[in-house]
Amino acid sequence: MEKDERKAERSRFPKLPEFPRRQDEPLPPGERADIRNEKSFLRLTGILCLLCAVCGLLLGLANLLTEDRIAENQGSRNMGVLEEVLPYGGNYQEIRYSGGDPTIEAVYEAPEAGWVFQVSPAGSFSGRLTLMVGVDVDGVVNGVAVTDSGETEDLGLRASEPEFRNQFTGKTAAVQLEADGGDIAAISGATITSQAVCAAVNSALAAAAELG
Amino acid sequence: MKEYADLKLTVASSPHVGSPVGTRALMMDVLVALTPALCMAVFFFGPRALALTAVSVVGCEIFEALYRILLKKPVSGGDLSAAVTGVLLAFVCPVTIPYWTILIGDFFAIVVVKQLFGGLGKNFLNPALAGRAFLALCYLPEMTVWVRPGTKFWLGLTASAADAVSAATPMADLHNGLLPWLGTSGVRLHDMFYGNVGGCMGEVSALALLFGGGYLILRGVIHPRIPTTYLGTVALLAFLFPRVGSAEDWMLAQLLSGGLMLGAFFMATDYVTSPCTPWGEVLFGVGCGLLTVFLRSFGGSAEGVSYAILLMNACVPLLEKYTQPKRYGASRGWQRKARKEGEHHGKG
Amino acid sequence: MNVGKQIEEGLLTKNPVAVQLLGLCTALAVTTSLLNGLGMGLCVLVVLTLSNGLLSALGPYLPERIHMVSAVVVTASLGGVADLIVQAFFPDLAGNLGLFLPLMAVTCVLLSGAGVYAYENGVASAVLEGLCRGLGYTLVLVLVGVIRELLGKGSFGEGLLNSGRGFQVFPAQFAAGGLVHPVGGFLVLACVIAAVQGFLARPKKAARRKETVRR
């Protein structure tokens, strides 16, 4: 009874593949069946190469057919966020940021209109908060959007609520939370995240001053 | 031959001497010991504290009974262990928490943590603390509203944010490297001792909790090993490495703030989830103390008692395994051999 | 070829996730909603079925020594193609699945046991096996996804049903948001596995009881 049960238990799991047997097809007499046997070695290599070539071709073909669409999707996703924080209409150009602020990950320039900074502020709760901050040529914050809130953190998500984000629109000088003497109302219960967003906006403003 | 039928003989293996102290009596003692803290909670936060505790107790008992009825297991409601879980869970929540939230915590504590693992005596985490951890994970905004003590809450279904005057807690000050009486909360040391501070309902009053803990120790319900080693480790580390101020000030502030007293006397000493060997208890207490100090100093959130105890709960089987007392008449080598053999048979 | 047995094993008694505990990485990570669970499940289902069929057909022409390598190459390539197709035509789903979309190839190799079944059986049987195991995987992913979405966000089928808006079953403020996080994945998957194992153990218990009574 118990033995049967254990057997049934074992049969619920798949049989693991056995180590490949030495040789499966009959060999002409006198030939040794191992990897040093040149004929069989070449044959194995040949078949594998052929298989890999066909698979590679398949992948290449799939890539060829989908490449443009994927690039298009990627572009439109980024465009959406960029347009949200700094409406422009034209093409944003990613430019190299040479300043000293390590929290700025990327800068997109909209010629004549301003810049969008991708900032990942230090000291956020999850360590992964990433924001897009749009600053126009006059150094005025135009919009803030959260692109990655760090998925283990509920409060970071609330930073993307408009009531909080819109407080930053129109700011020109360094921002601070009310608790620190500024005029930004923190998200209740998420002071650390709110501080991080302020830091990100300040970084973007400083970088915009450098660029403009 | 006939008289044999009338004799009610029970065939059982040892031990043959029964103890008059059952689970129910022990749990009753714990409930009595928790009463002073409940009184202080009602005194500082109003009748809502009492109502929340009552809802939590009833919720726990109902979930336990429902689970056992639905799964056709013997109903064990009479042992009051669910009631203790209910009180403890309410004690580690802020007074503004909505009633439905605490019921969800009750459900998680009783059904997921306790009953799914086999019921009383089989859970490997403290149900109340696991319930709190779950609430902190899912309802962080509700769980982090701290009100100024003396703001009386009546029975309102949801204590609206307007009523809740957010106040900085001593815990938050300590986390920011400030002594509470110099920090934003402005709480003095004797306030922290009586419980006149913002915080979770049952955690605020160190005095009431010390009373309760002393009662439990005097009654022999808990052994002082875990509380003393736990509090001692925290005190020693705080004394040796104060972040600001004098060593004694920092140590007292650390000892009297947050959930440390409640955790040390009522949570860490839970029979089911603490080691049953003396040295295991000592190691358990020291481990809780170390983790609490580490989490408070380097963690993301201000308080670390609940996670420290939960983590040590998970270590209990290991602690018990390596602190087994020497069996009478057995040599050390023999014992090691026996343990190894046990491992091979999968008993380890 | 025992069709009924194959279906039962794939879906329940040898369910790849709930019983054999294979592909847990994806089952934990992507099941934040019905859409994600279903999307990932269907991708694996299609790739698994195709690769099983292909390997079974190719089997006789491949020396046994390179069976395992070929299985990995074929499955991984098909997985790669599926990855590209999802990225091109379902960009939202691809964004949600993120890193786990390319990891699908690994899941498929695991679920097919590196083609062992396919090589040993005919094409039809291998295709059915792939289909059943893929369905079993999808079933668990959908179940976990629905539970996590419902309890964690209070919604059902967001991004998929009701022209993408889904149904808000109860207000999001009551939802246990933590279940959408990775911790919730562990909790819900553990409960689902426990439920399935409990269900599978039931007939055994009944049989044992009957036996004791007979004795």
Side-chain angles (χ1 to χ4, degrees), chain A residues 1 5 8-9 11-25 33-35 40-41 43-45 47-48 51-52 55-56 58-60 62-67 69-70 73-74 77 150-154 157, chain C residues 9 13-14 19-22 29 32 58 61-66 68-71 73-74 76-78 80-81 83-85 87-92 94-95 113-114 116 120 133 177-178 180-182 197 200 204 208 211:
Chain A
M1 171 75 199
E5 235 171 60
E9 186 78 20
S11 78
R12 267 157 67 186
F13 298 95
K15 212 168 80 191
L16 287 174
E18 280 167 21
F19 196 76
R21 254 162 273 145
R22 299 220 66 163
Q23 190 57 285
D24 44 308
E25 52 245 287
D34 64 37
I35 207 83
S40 122
F41 180 60
R43 191 165 157 262
L44 287 183
T45 319
I47 293 177
L48 255 185
L51 191 71
C52 287
C55 287
L58 188 73
L59 271 173
N63 188 41
L64 198 69
L65 293 176
T66 54
E67 198 175 22
R69 262 197 96 104
I70 292 175
N73 290 337
Q74 199 70 41
R77 192 181 309 152
E151 59 173 331
T152 55
E153 217 271 293
D154 205 21
L157 251 159
Chain C
E9 284 184 351
T13 52
K14 289 190 188 175
V19 177
Q20 297 177 341
L21 308 183
L22 294 172
T32 49
L58 282 175
Y61 306 100
L62 299 172
E64 208 170 326
R65 194 179 270 169
I66 56 166
M68 205 195 268
V69 187
S70 331
V73 170
V74 168
S77 312
L78 287 173
V81 173
D83 173 19
L84 290 172
I85 292 175
Q87 278 192 41
F89 297 99
F90 307 99
D92 291 342
V116 169
E120 288 175 359
R133 288 178 72 75
V180 185
H181 299 328
Q197 296 279 3
L200 287 179
K204 263 194 226 157
R208 213 175 289 153
E211 203 166 285

Side-chain angles (χ1 to χ4, degrees), chain A residues 113-210:
Chain A
W115 304 269
V116 178
F117 299 91
Q118 185 184 329
V119 196
S120 181
S124 67
F125 203 84
S126 63
R128 283 178 41 214
L129 185 72
T130 306
L131 302 133
M132 288 285 193
V133 183
V135 183
D136 68 15
V137 273
D138 303 323
V140 179
V141 177
N142 199 71
V144 179
V146 179
T147 51
D148 186 358
S149 62
E151 59 173 331
T152 55
E153 217 271 293
D154 205 21
L155 298 166
L157 251 159
R158 290 169 56 204
S160 52
E161 282 170 9
E163 302 92 74
F164 178 70
R165 283 193 291 145
N166 290 345
Q167 296 182 86
F168 295 97
T169 311
K171 291 278 181 289
T172 52
V175 289
Q176 270 189 320
L177 291 184
E178 278 169 353
D180 301 329
D183 56 356
I184 302 291
I187 312 164
S188 69
T191 320
I192 295 175
T193 306
S194 311
Q195 274 168 347
V197 175
C198 286
V201 170
N202 291 340
S203 294
L205 280 172
E210 274 174 42

Side-chain angles (χ1 to χ4, degrees), chain C residues 14-205:
Chain C
K14 289 190 188 175
N15 186 299
V17 185
V19 177
Q20 297 177 341
L21 308 183
L22 294 172
L24 286 185
C25 174
T26 43
L28 284 168
V30 305
T31 50
T32 49
S33 69
L34 170 65
L35 170 71
N36 296 351
L38 190 66
M40 187 75 193
L42 288 182
C43 287
V44 167
L45 174 75
V46 170
V47 172
L48 203 58
T49 312
L50 283 179
S51 78
N52 257 14
L54 256 178
L55 288 175
S56 176
L58 282 175
Y61 306 100
L62 299 172
E64 208 170 326
R65 194 179 270 169
I66 56 166
H67 266 182
M68 205 195 268
V69 187
S70 331
V72 172
V73 170
V74 168
T75 317
S77 312
L78 287 173
V81 173
D83 173 19
L84 290 172
I85 292 175
V86 172
Q87 278 192 41
F89 297 99
F90 307 99
D92 291 342
L93 180 65
N96 290 351
L97 298 183
L99 181 67
F100 296 95
L101 193 54
L103 266 181
M104 174 176 61
V106 182
T107 313
C108 290
V109 172
L110 278 173
L111 290 197
S112 71
V116 169
Y117 188 91
Y119 287 130
E120 288 175 359
N121 292 278
V123 177
S125 168
V127 166
L128 183 67
E129 176 78 1
L131 210 61
C132 293
R133 288 178 72 75
L135 264 180
Y137 177 81
T138 312
L139 207 66
V140 175
L141 258 72
V142 166
L143 190 62
V144 175
V146 166
I147 295 176
R148 283 175 74 184
E149 188 185 353
L150 185 68
L151 298 181
K153 287 191 220 148
S155 61
F156 177 71
E158 200 174 296
L160 188 67
L161 306 173
N162 197 7
S163 62
R165 275 172 286 125
F167 302 98
Q168 196 69 31
V169 181
F170 56 88
Q173 89 181 92
F174 296 113
L179 289 182
V180 185
H181 299 328
V183 189
F186 280 99
L187 279 172
V188 174
L189 188 64
C191 289
V192 167
I193 290 175
V196 171
Q197 296 279 3
F199 178 76
L200 287 179
R202 251 166 53 151
K204 263 194 226 157
K205 246 187 224 163

